[in-house]
Amino acid sequence: MDLLEQNKDDAANPAGKTPEGPPCQEDSAELNAIIDHLPMALYWKDAGLTYRGGNAEFLRMTGLTRRELYGKTDADLHAEKIARRFRQEDGEFLSGERKEGWFSDKYIPMKDGADIWARTYKIPVFDGEARIKYIMGLVQDVTEIKQDEIALEERESILRTILNATSERIVFVDQPGKILVANAAFMRDFAPQRQEAAGLLIDDLLASPFFQKILGGMYNALASGKPRHFDLTPEESRTDKYFDVSIYPVNSGKEIIGAAIFANDITQRKQDEQALLQRSEELRAAMLEAEKASKSKGDFLSRMSHEIRTPIGAIIGMTKIAFASDDPQKVRDCLNKIDSSSRHLLGIINDVLDMSKIEAGKLVLSDAVFSLDDLITDIKNVSSVRSEEKRQDFRIVVDNTLPECFFADELRLRQVVTNLLSNAVKFTPEEGTVRLELKNLGLKDGAVLLEVTVSDSGIGISPEQQAALFQPFEQADGGIARKYGGTGLGLVICKKIVEMMGGRIRVESELGAGSRFIFNVRLKVHDKGEKAGGPALQIGDMRALIVDDNFETREYLKHILEKIGVRCDAAANGNQALRLAAEAKESKDVFNVFFVERALPGGINGVELTARIKKLLCGKAAVIMTSVSEWEEFREEAVQAGACGFIPKPLFPSAVFDVLQEISGAAAGAGVREGEKSVPDLTGCKILIAEDVEINREIAQALLAVTGAQLDFAENGRQAVDKFRAGRGEYDLILMDIHMPEMDGYEATKLIRAGDGEEARLIPIMAMTADAFKEDIEKCKEVGMNDHITKPIDENELYKKIVSCRAAGRLGSQARNGAKDEQKE
């Protein structure tokens, strides 16, 4: 009887009695004992998938007896889901789909609640006719093994999670170089084209030449058993990052079995190092710059000492010579030199003050209406003196399309142009050329873009020297500074002023080939309206001949004259002028007016030509002399030759208009118009001067006494107020100092304005002070002053402002009379 039949009989004999049988029954019992002692569970089912028996281990696992097991199905022993899975597996044997035994691991819930993991080996048992008679299963409880595996998987999952979460790039390889694990960071940076690296050779993964440093370090660590450390640059890692790479060999205790590679992103650290290095370089450069600035300021102070002491020395020296001399001509020469040195010293002080305002951010512009003609005339008067001393060809060319009046800061614009011209004259040798050109670059939104060019034929500037031109406290070359002088501040101030006026300045120059300074500013155009004063110009049938060797001057003056209706012709020299004058006389269409340049080439100068014109035309034509030279230099001989007027160059429409207005309707030669400002006639005007410093009172008296004005003085603000109140309207103008004892000019002005009567309200009060900043001027206006005159006093500015006040009808007597007339009406 086989084992299965034995189990069947056991099931039929629940008492456990051993039936009688043949001698082989002892073998069956022995076999049953062996089966029951197997450490693995054993069961068998028939072809109907009914359990026919199981060994002791299986019965223990199921918690059943043999009788209870016999005839049961999987549905009786397990939940439906498990039973269905077992039936599906067994059905594969019965259908012939499976013919051999196979392993499977299953999680099996047990009746006693002690659920297990079972590893089952199922085999079919065939009868003599090759039909499946039984399905036998060997079952091993692998719960502990499975739990260990699950725990290991969990640990591996945790480890992988940690590895993938860390920002460090990590890969583990075995001794042959096969990758065991590579985290996400490593794959992202070093193998972005792959999803998985486990099982690959690292040589294949990092096949690019860029990674030879990593591979070389890894094989070195595997061979030597020593760690390796190095950095990877972005070029070496083929990324945009820097990496700090560490490779550690893994030792099992007996041998090296692999290596761990760690790559840490140190890009930020490298950037910080580079930033620190750059900052260090910047600090070093700043330190060098500071040292350079310190040296520059030291040099500047040295230059300033020299620049200041030079005019002071001249002033003191010339004063001593004047005191010691009885020769009036010598004394006059000394006074001229003292005046020149004083003005030079004032210029130095103004530069220093402007520079201090620039560094403090307090340089501001004061816009006002001004005439372009007046501006250029003033610039010419200042700049031509030194140019004439050096016998230079100094020319001014003005675009005839430029408007006559602007609203801008005239003083600052003049400062820039004068400074550039001063440098041009200074660095240009004798008989060289200096040229000022003003050009209209276009009108937009009521403002003209003015381009000013100052060019010369001087020593020129090298590219290296040009780099330092607009730097504070710098000069292009120390040797040049020693030879020509200067503080080194002028161009810095010019640049700042130009930029504040919305423009830019640049230089074009070559060493030994002269220089061109060009700047542009945008100036608001002011419509000054009709020309005030005097009758309208009666042109009639006026015909003029322009005699000048300069083509630009001829064309410019011709444009001015034709614009106001004068018929014009032009000649380049005296001979040509005489020929044209003779032809005009013969045709009985004579020239009424001649504009003659004094310094004509070709043998006949302007004075001689004037005499010959007067003789040719019987003295009937008016001859106007033009020249860059001062009128006083040739006045006497020009008047004797027959000149009846003079216009200084550069020529301006207003000056031409004025001289034509003066000669129109007047007899030729009736007088000479000089085209220059003269001392005003202030006879009948009484001026109160409030000034505490005696020498300043003396200067004011000297400047105003020649005007015929009656002067009275107060030594402080309190006296000024008292005298004004006691005067009962006798004063026409008050010139008020600011800083005085007992009461300053501000307080005195407020008290005067607060007084009763029209005099207190109408009398003009002008500040006459050394406070020259914009805020000082604004404060003067706030307390009730009408105008501001800066010390040291410029007589032209003083006269101009008094005359302007008179022209506006604001002098005391004029204003009072005007107010009375209004009341009568």
Side-chain angles (χ1 to χ4, degrees), residues 354-551:
D354 282 344
M355 192 65 218
S356 67
K357 285 189 283 186
I358 288 173
E359 293 205 321
K362 292 186 177 181
L363 185 68
V364 292
L365 301 178
S366 301
D367 293 343
V369 178
F370 70 92
S371 163
L372 182 64
D373 293 1
D374 292 344
L375 171 68
I376 299 176
T377 300
D378 290 344
I379 290 172
K380 178 256 180 185
N381 290 339
V382 171
S383 302
S384 63
V385 176
R386 178 61 177 152
S387 178
E388 289 175 4
E389 290 177 0
K390 299 179 73 173
R391 301 187 304 280
Q392 293 171 342
D393 181 8
F394 177 43
R395 297 195 177 186
I396 300 178
V397 179
V398 182
D399 190 335
N400 56 35
T401 65
L402 282 168
E404 291 186 34
C405 291
F406 295 96
F407 184 78
D409 194 324
E410 176 192 10
L411 294 178
R412 291 301 182 186
L413 183 59
R414 179 190 303 167
Q415 182 179 356
V416 174
V417 179
T418 303
N419 189 289
L420 296 178
L421 282 172
S422 175
N423 285 342
V425 172
K426 180 194 300 184
F427 297 116
T428 299
E430 292 190 357
E431 300 184 357
T433 300
V434 175
R435 178 185 175 99
L436 169 64
E437 182 176 2
L438 289 83
K439 185 181 296 184
N440 183 352
L441 296 185
L443 178 67
K444 182 179 180 182
D445 299 329
V448 163
L449 183 60
L450 173 68
E451 181 181 81
V452 180
T453 303
V454 176
S455 55
D456 63 66
S457 60
I459 61 176
I461 312 167
S462 69
E464 295 76 18
Q465 293 168 348
Q466 291 178 36
L469 276 182
F470 299 103
Q471 299 300 316
F473 312 112
E474 294 279 357
Q475 282 196 326
D477 181 87
I480 292 175
R482 287 187 293 273
K483 180 177 179 180
Y484 292 96
T487 63
L489 297 179
L491 290 178
V492 181
I493 297 169
C494 289
K495 181 175 184 289
K496 182 62 177 179
I497 292 172
V498 168
E499 289 173 348
M500 290 178 67
M501 298 181 81
R504 56 185 294 268
I505 186 169
R506 70 183 192 277
V507 61
E508 298 173 357
S509 181
E510 292 183 18
L511 201 60
S515 304
R516 294 178 75 240
F517 283 84
I518 307 111
F519 73 88
N520 58 73
V521 290
R522 191 167 291 280
L523 303 180
K524 186 176 180 181
V525 178
H526 179 76
D527 183 8
K528 70 174 184 177
E530 295 297 324
K531 189 173 181 68
L537 177 60
Q538 302 297 323
I539 295 299
D541 189 22
M542 185 176 288
R543 187 183 185 198
L545 179 62
I546 302 165
V547 188
D548 200 297
D549 61 310
N550 183 269
F551 174 77

Side-chain angles (χ1 to χ4, degrees), residues 327-369:
D327 182 359
Q329 186 63 36
K330 184 65 175 178
V331 172
R332 184 178 182 83
D333 180 62
C334 289
L335 292 176
N336 285 333
K337 291 176 179 176
I338 290 172
D339 178 70
S340 176
S341 298
S342 301
R343 293 179 184 278
H344 178 60
L345 180 60
L346 179 62
I348 294 171
I349 294 172
N350 286 337
D351 280 352
V352 173
L353 290 175
D354 282 344
M355 192 65 218
S356 67
K357 285 189 283 186
I358 288 173
E359 293 205 321
K362 292 186 177 181
L363 185 68
V364 292
L365 301 178
S366 301
D367 293 343
V369 178

Side-chain angles (χ1 to χ4, degrees), residues 1 55 112 130 182 200 205 212 338 353 361 364 374 414 440-441 502 552 557 590 614 629 660 693 707 720 731 756:
M1 180 183 295
N55 69 351
D112 59 2
L200 295 175
L205 185 68
Q212 292 306 307
I338 290 172
L353 290 175
V364 292
D374 292 344
R414 179 190 303 167
N440 183 352
L441 296 185
E552 291 175 340
L557 183 53
V590 298
K614 295 297 257 183
S629 302
L660 287 178
V693 180
T707 66
Y731 296 110
D756 297 330

Side-chain angles (χ1 to χ4, degrees), residues 646-709:
F646 169 70
I647 306 177
K649 288 185 176 181
L651 306 175
F652 297 111
S654 60
V656 174
F657 185 92
D658 288 345
V659 76
L660 287 178
Q661 181 169 281
E662 186 171 310
I663 67 173
S664 64
V672 176
R673 183 188 187 278
E674 301 179 11
E676 296 179 335
K677 295 182 177 65
S678 58
V679 176
D681 183 2
L682 300 178
T683 304
C685 179
K686 188 171 183 180
I687 303 174
L688 175 60
I689 301 171
E691 172 62 66
D692 62 309
V693 180
E694 183 179 356
I695 191 170
N696 288 342
R697 293 198 298 271
E698 186 178 344
I699 292 171
Q701 183 175 15
L703 294 177
L704 291 170
V706 296
T707 66

